[in-house]
C-alpha cells in the first residue's frame, strides 16, 4: 500500500547474497520507500554460499548501490552492517568496531562524492 507509513529496510548483504539480484535496479526502484539501509559487501564463494567482506571489497558495487539510493530519494538512515575483527580487536564476531568505523567513512565518502547528505 502506497503510504508514507510504509517503508522497507534495504540490506545489501541479505539481498546481495543472491547473485541474480540487481541491487542497483532495486535501489533505484525502492529508494523512496527505504527507511533504513544496512550496507555491507559480500563475496560469493559457491552456489548459495557467501561471506561478508570489507565494505569496498566483494562482489557488490556498493558505491553504485548507495548512489542509486541517494539519487532515488532515500532520506532514511544508513549504517555499515557488520564488520570484521581487525588490528587485533576482540569482541563479538561480526561486530568489529574498527571495520564498522571504516565502513561508515566509506559510505560517507560515497555520499559526499554524489553531493548527497
Amino acid at each position: 500500500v502506497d503510504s508514507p507509513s510504509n517503508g522497507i529496510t534495504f540490506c545489501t548483504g541479505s539481498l546481495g547474497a543472491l547473485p541474480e539480484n540487481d541491487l542497483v535496479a532495486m535501489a533505484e526502484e525502492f529508494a523512496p520507500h527505504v527507511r533504513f539501509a544496512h550496507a555491507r559487501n559480500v563475496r560469493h564463494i559457491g552456489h548459495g554460499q557467501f561471506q561478508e567482506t570489507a565494505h569496498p571489497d566483494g562482489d557488490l558495487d556498493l558505491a553504485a548501490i548507495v548512489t542509486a539510493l541517494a539519487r532515488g530519494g532515500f532520506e532514511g538512515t544508513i549504517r555499515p552492517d557488520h564488520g570484521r575483527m581487525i588490528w587485533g580487536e576482540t569482541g563479538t564476531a561480526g561486530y568489529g568496531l574498527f571495520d564498522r568505523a571504516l565502513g561508515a567513512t566509506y559510505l560517507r565518502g560515497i555520499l559526499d562524492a554524489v553531493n548527497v547528505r
Side-chain angles (χ1 to χ4, degrees):
V1 175
D2 189 18
S3 166
S5 298
N6 291 334
I8 61 173
T9 295
F10 194 88
C11 180
T12 61
S14 295
L15 295 169
L18 184 63
E20 292 79 16
N21 282 341
D22 183 344
L23 270 66
V24 174
M26 294 169 74
E28 289 171 348
E29 180 178 352
F30 297 113
H33 306 286
V34 175
R35 304 297 183 259
F36 188 71
H38 290 165
R40 74 166 187 247
N41 214 326
V42 298
R43 179 173 295 116
H44 302 110
I45 57 174
H47 181 72
Q49 298 177 319
F50 70 95
Q51 64 185 178
E52 297 172 353
T53 65
H55 291 83
D57 300 328
D59 295 328
L60 305 180
D61 188 347
L62 201 53
I65 295 164
V66 172
T67 298
L69 283 170
R71 290 190 174 155
F74 168 68
E75 295 180 354
T77 301
I78 187 169
R79 75 166 176 88
D81 192 26
H82 295 240
R84 304 160 298 151
M85 295 296 177
I86 58 175
W87 304 330
E89 181 180 23
T90 60
T92 305
Y95 291 92
L97 177 62
F98 300 140
D99 196 41
R100 285 186 293 147
L102 291 172
T105 59
Y106 178 72
L107 296 172
R108 178 62 184 259
I110 295 167
L111 295 171
D112 284 347
V114 296
N115 296 314
V116 176
R117 287 189 196 183

